[in-house]
Amino acid sequence: MAFSTLPPLALFAAEQGVYGRLRQHIQKIAPAAKDELAQQENGMKLTPTALTLVLASSSLAMVSPAMAQYGSSAPPKVAMPPKGEAPPAEASTGEYKPNISSSARKEIVELQTAVNAKDAANIPAKLAAAQAKAKTKDDRYVIAQLQLKAAVDVQDNAAIMTAIDAVLASDVLPPANTIPLYVNLGKLQYNTKAYDKAAASFERALQIEPNNVEATVMLAEARNAQGRPAEAVTLIQKAIAARVAAGQKPEENWYKRAVKLSFDAKMPSAPTIAREWVAAYPSQKNWRDAIRIYQSTSGLDDASLLDSMRLAQAAGALSGENDYFRFANTLVTKGFPGEAKAVLDQGFASKAIDKSRATFSQLYTLASTRSQGDRASLAASATAAKASADAKKAMVTGEAFYGYGDYAQAADLFRAALGKSGVDKDLANLRLGMSLARSGDKAGAVAALKAAGGAQAEVASLWLTWLAQQA
């Protein structure tokens, strides 16, 4: 059967329903929900249980479960006096002890009693009475804490936000201890779609502690909701860098979220972020996704993307009918039938593709027929290529040796090409690095791949990332 009768890739994909759209695939690897990242960090999905109120007597500490891993400080504990008694003097423990004014003491104690009893019917009146009598910052601070506890008890998010504002407005807490309040306030504001207010709250936390990663990733979500995805990606990258600098591994969802946002916004950083993601979390699936993102955003045709397909093969990231057909079909078209046959054999052996399918059986027959005698002729071709002044023959012959798994011979030919006229040094170094990587010469491969710049820089970086993961 003539090769021209084989279905082209696009037609094959449409008929078989196996290719799909890359955008749909990206949606799968990083769901589109705006608060996906927040959920991972116990973020925007804030519930009263996430606002843990620790009352020792009536001391307040507001720390969400996610806070513990970020090391954010909780507000200082504030001890309330027992019912009917005056507040104690400041203790030697260093905990802040409010000095409640005598004019507000009775009303504050009554409010405390109502809040601790969860007397919802009487709390509003008691709160109003206490607020009317408040004279000092300490009065307002203690009243705001009790107001917050009452709001959390009834799971009233609007009341929680009002109470947090009151705690902050009391101006009693040291700046560092207001960070959890600002972050939780921002989450609640985000959930009400008050994105500008949420962003302002997260920014306030970051003014106090610029490297607070929770506030950073939450601000990223707010920025995205404001229609500013580029800023959102930059913020997530900042959080990732902060974790790395601290010797900690960033959350995988941070990478996935940044990949999705940058890909959807058609940002040039998408393949770089995808590469950083697979460097931190290597897996066959992640490699496939990272390579697909590079292929989709590069603007190159399949013939120019063969080296990324070869990387997918090296990483064990070929999966499904489309991957194998696209790779093998491109190899046959480019004149490397022996490599195409090897790719199809791999697919058949792994049961990723079915040899009985007409599409694959026809392509396999064509590759097998065209590769007959090809391998045996390569020795003579190599001699002629090395003797030629033109680099093209050395490059083509080296590529053929690579396809047959003779990486040492391939490397020799790519080295020879580098010394000839008309050579694309970036492409020659890329393929020299690939050959050395597959042959086990890690140091030589690193040197060659680092020398591959220009249009080959990104795929060379992908190969370097894969190489770094090899033993």
Side-chain angles (χ1 to χ4, degrees), residues 429 432-434 436-437 441-450 464 467:
N429 273 309
L432 172 59
M434 290 163 49
L436 294 173
D441 181 356
K442 194 169 183 178
V446 168
L449 291 168
K450 284 185 174 179
L464 280 166
L467 185 60

Side-chain angles (χ1 to χ4, degrees), residues 48-49 51-62 78 80 111-120 123 127 140-157 159-167 181:
T49 56
L51 284 170
T52 305
L53 294 168
V54 182
L55 287 141
S57 296
S58 287
S59 37
L60 173 79
M62 180 178 148
V78 178
M80 286 290 295
L111 173 60
Q112 179 191 27
T113 300
V115 169
N116 287 343
K118 298 185 180 181
D119 184 2
I123 286 173
L127 175 61
R140 288 186 284 273
Y141 178 47
V142 173
I143 292 168
Q145 290 186 74
L146 292 169
Q147 181 182 358
L148 180 55
K149 181 180 186 305
V152 170
D153 284 343
V154 296
Q155 302 184 21
D156 185 336
N157 286 343
I160 290 171
M161 287 188 282
T162 300
I164 294 174
D165 277 330
V167 172
L181 293 168

